[in-house]
Amino acid sequence: MEVRQAKQEELEALIKIEQICFPPAEAATEEDMRKRFNVFQENFIVAVEEGKVVGFINGCVTDKPELPDALYHDTALHKPEGAYQTVFGLNVLPQYRKQGIAEQLVSHLIKLSKERGKTGIVLTCKDHLVHYYQKFGFKHLGVSASSHGGSKWNDMLLIFD
């Protein structure tokens, strides 16, 4: 398994994986994925198995330890020098799940964010994933104000030591 920054020629695969891994109301549109990739490609980390992208994690960088819904759609809000890496999505194709790929992606993003001098990582997740992110050191801050995709989300924050 190779975990690394995504390449331009992998964007089509990332768009397809996003559509497979999230319900339509929550998945980024093809247009949003293209905009995000063009603005913060350095924050798209892929897992590659035998030459095939099987998963990825992505998000912008922001000044505040929060993930308002506006960040999902307005790439102008990306602040490359900001203190907090966000996670918009952690995606692994269904046939590759339960193999530790998501864990490798999260761990890689944590390491990369520390190397880049970030203060921490912020994300939102569904109830059943709170415990998953807590094992990486994320703190559950409660129910999020997010209404992304019409779902209930939880605010999670990891501050680096």
Side-chain angles (χ1 to χ4, degrees):
M1 178 70 54
E2 180 184 14
V3 178
R4 58 164 170 75
Q5 183 179 324
K7 298 175 183 173
Q8 182 68 44
E9 61 268 21
E10 295 167 330
L11 179 55
E12 298 305 320
L14 301 180
I15 292 167
K16 288 178 183 157
I17 292 169
E18 176 82 5
Q19 301 306 316
I20 291 168
C21 292
F22 281 100
E26 296 170 15
T29 65
E30 179 177 343
E31 179 184 0
D32 280 342
M33 286 289 290
R34 290 185 189 286
K35 284 181 189 174
R36 292 174 186 177
F37 197 82
N38 288 333
V39 174
F40 47 87
Q41 179 181 345
E42 72 279 5
N43 294 331
F44 278 77
I45 307 303
V46 294
V48 181
E49 180 74 38
E50 297 178 2
K52 177 184 178 181
V53 177
V54 299
F56 74 98
I57 191 169
N58 77 104
C60 73
V61 176
T62 184
D63 293 331
K64 299 174 186 165
E66 54 192 44
L67 180 49
D69 288 348
L71 287 177
Y72 291 112
H73 306 290
D74 187 353
T75 56
L77 298 174
H78 171 60
K79 307 289 183 212
E81 303 306 318
Y84 297 92
Q85 174 68 53
T86 68
V87 174
F88 287 171
L90 173 59
N91 307 269
V92 176
L93 288 170
Q95 63 270 36
Y96 290 91
R97 292 180 184 161
K98 308 279 188 213
Q99 298 176 34
I101 295 169
E103 183 175 346
Q104 288 182 54
L105 287 165
V106 173
S107 295
H108 187 91
L109 186 64
I110 290 169
K111 179 178 178 280
L112 187 62
S113 298
K114 286 178 178 179
E115 289 171 0
R116 291 176 174 170
K118 302 305 176 202
T119 301
I121 300 178
V122 60
L123 61 85
T124 60
C125 69
K126 303 255 177 93
D127 290 345
H128 69 279
L129 291 171
V130 169
H131 179 72
Y132 178 78
Y133 287 108
Q134 285 176 327
K135 76 180 189 177
F136 294 99
F138 282 86
K139 302 288 184 230
H140 181 214
L141 303 179
V143 175
S144 175
S146 174
S147 60
H148 179 72
S151 296
K152 175 191 167 205
W153 300 93
N154 295 280
D155 286 326
M156 304 293 290
L157 178 63
L158 173 63
I159 298 293
F160 304 139
D161 296 330

